[in-house]
Every structure is written in C-alpha cells, then in structure tokens.
Amino acid sequence: METVEKYRAHVQKLIEKYGYFSSNDDLETQIITDEKHDHYQLVHVGWHNNRRTYGCVLHIDIKNDKIWIQHDGTEIGMANEFVALGVPKEDIVLAFHAPYKRQYTGFAMG
C-alpha cells in the first residue's frame, strides 16, 4: 500500500506540472483525478479558431501496484518522468503499446 500511495503522489505531481498550460482564454486545461479507482487525466477543453477542442493529453491509471500510462501526449514522455522520480521501469506499463510489443519497450509487460 505504501508503494501505491507513493505512486499516487508522483502521478498527481506530474499531472499538475503539465496542467498549468493554457494557450488562450477559450481553452481550459482540466485535471481529472479519481483516487478511489486510481484514474488520472489531463484534458484540454474549449474553443480554438471557432472550432470545438477536446483532447486527452495524459491518461494514467494505477493498477496492480504499477503505473499504467494509457495515453501520453507529452514530448518528454511520462515514463521518463516517472523513472527520474525513482519509479523502477518494471513498475511502469506503457499501456498505449499493444501487449505483444511491450516486451521490447524495456518497461513492464502489465
């Protein structure tokens, strides 16, 4: 349980780090957290050039004592950010890769 609590803190820290971006007044960045079920998202919602904008930038879950990166729209890569915080690669699942490809990523299979 101590590991899960630590991972929750890491996830929230990194989502908040990226959550302060806002390109204009019509585009809102929302941080969505569900600690009970360990689901965390960062989304952009609003309008840009008279067009509706909605997009998930980050989606991270914690399952089976591992960090599951469901979607990563950052340039640096969230897996690298977690490793820099001391999370072992075997506790990070790149869930956006097909299960058969995960064995080649250097991270956890799932």
Side-chain angles (χ1 to χ4, degrees), residues 34-76:
D34 176 1
E35 285 188 44
K36 181 178 179 184
H37 300 102
D38 283 319
H39 302 298
Y40 306 88
Q41 290 186 338
L42 177 67
V43 297
H44 291 296
V45 179
W47 294 90
H48 181 68
N49 295 331
N50 293 324
R51 294 190 70 162
R52 181 69 176 160
T53 300
Y54 177 86
C56 179
V57 179
L58 295 170
H59 179 170
I60 300 168
D61 296 328
I62 300 173
K63 299 191 304 187
N64 302 322
D65 297 332
K66 294 186 187 310
I67 296 172
W68 288 64
I69 303 173
Q70 303 289 359
H71 177 75
D72 185 354
T74 67
E75 288 185 24
I76 191 167

Side-chain angles (χ1 to χ4, degrees), residues 19 21-31 43-47 53 55:
F21 166 80
S22 182
S23 62
N24 63 52
D25 292 337
D26 295 328
L27 186 63
E28 180 182 356
T29 303
Q30 296 181 350
I31 297 171
V43 297
H44 291 296
V45 179
W47 294 90
T53 300

